[in-house]
Amino acid sequence: ILFTVYVNDILEKLKTSELGCKIGELYFGCLMYADDLVLISSSVTMLQKMLHICENVMFECMIFNAKKSMILRLGCNFKHKCMGVYLNSTQLLFVERAKYLGVVLLSGKRFKISLADLKANFYKSFNGLLYRCKGIQDEVVKFYLINTFCKPFLVYSCESVKLLVSEYRSLQHAWNCVYYRLFGISDANVIDELNGHLNQLLLMCELRNRRCKFLNKIGAGNNALLHSLLLYLVKCQCHE
């Protein structure tokens, strides 16, 4: 409870300072989930000021762990060298990847997640399930087991980001390995026909449906911050 009280002070002071990112009049400079804090800033100078606020609020009760803190840069200048940022007199590392809520985020010109990690987790669960199912001769049963227990590793969090066509194809290629291992087929037309018999959509279509449901769920909710973020995404897509 004490942690929540102190962290709430941080959130309030960051908000009143007007440091960090905003969409319209709504503040997005600091996001919190459990005991994880994410500071979002348009510059390292502003980020350093935000960190000073965090240090001052928590000075008398607890100390942030600088070794577990890092900076992930996004935008056109993400590779440019910039000044150091410090937390508790310790310089924070600029990283190319950071794991948050089970998702590996990547530094780059745009916000994106690591598909390589998703595919690695999928292959691991896929091969493990095949090993456990050695005694099952029915490939269709195996397929539905893989679809239920392994596919979620491949598509985890994909609905929350806008994927490029090449990224859709990369995930589809990984999923097509299931058809090759179980049924010995790799031809796209044969896979499409088999999907019809199995009552399955192409992975690309399934991912797009998941994204539509995700955005609709945000739109139907009562969270003003998420509504503003959704409107911002729609405006960005209209300008592309």
Side-chain angles (χ1 to χ4, degrees), residues 23 26-28 31 160 214-234:
I23 296 180
L26 294 174
Y27 185 69
F28 281 87
L31 304 178
S160 62
F214 174 73
L215 296 177
N216 288 336
K217 189 173 182 179
I218 291 177
N222 298 319
N223 191 308
L225 291 175
L226 292 180
H227 282 179
S228 298
L229 186 58
L230 180 58
L231 290 174
Y232 176 76
L233 290 173
V234 171

Side-chain angles (χ1 to χ4, degrees), residues 45-56:
T45 302
M46 186 182 295
L47 178 61
Q48 184 65 75
K49 293 179 180 178
M50 296 172 74
L51 288 171
H52 285 325
I53 292 176
C54 295
E55 289 175 338
N56 292 335

Side-chain angles (χ1 to χ4, degrees), residues 27-64:
Y27 185 69
F28 281 87
C30 181
L31 304 178
M32 178 183 175
Y33 185 85
D35 60 347
D36 289 327
L37 284 174
V38 177
L39 302 183
I40 306 176
S41 169
S42 59
S43 70
V44 291
T45 302
M46 186 182 295
L47 178 61
Q48 184 65 75
K49 293 179 180 178
M50 296 172 74
L51 288 171
H52 285 325
I53 292 176
C54 295
E55 289 175 338
N56 292 335
V57 173
M58 304 295 280
F59 177 73
E60 295 183 354
C61 58
M62 60 183 72
I63 299 176
F64 288 103

Side-chain angles (χ1 to χ4, degrees), residues 94-185:
F94 288 90
V95 298
E96 295 183 355
R97 48 189 281 132
K99 193 171 185 178
Y100 184 66
L101 301 181
V103 183
V104 178
L105 308 177
L106 300 178
S107 177
K109 292 183 178 180
R110 64 183 181 89
F111 182 80
K112 58 184 179 179
I113 61 177
S114 172
L115 300 187
D117 285 85
L118 294 181
K119 291 189 288 185
N121 291 334
F122 164 70
Y123 288 132
K124 186 186 301 183
S125 63
F126 175 40
N127 290 325
L129 190 144
L130 286 182
Y131 178 79
R132 294 285 184 178
C133 293
K134 285 182 177 180
I136 300 177
Q137 302 300 321
D138 192 329
E139 284 76 14
V140 174
V141 172
K142 290 182 183 178
F143 177 83
Y144 284 117
L145 287 172
I146 294 166
N147 190 66
T148 301
F149 296 106
C150 303
K151 185 187 281 186
F153 288 101
L154 183 63
V155 300
Y156 180 66
S157 75
C158 286
E159 64 271 18
S160 62
V161 294
K162 185 179 180 182
L163 297 176
L164 301 177
V165 173
S166 59
E167 292 171 327
Y168 278 120
R169 289 174 179 168
S170 177
L171 293 173
Q172 182 68 61
H173 178 75
W175 181 243
N176 284 352
C177 292
V178 175
Y179 298 95
Y180 182 77
R181 290 284 297 273
L182 294 182
F183 306 106
I185 59 175

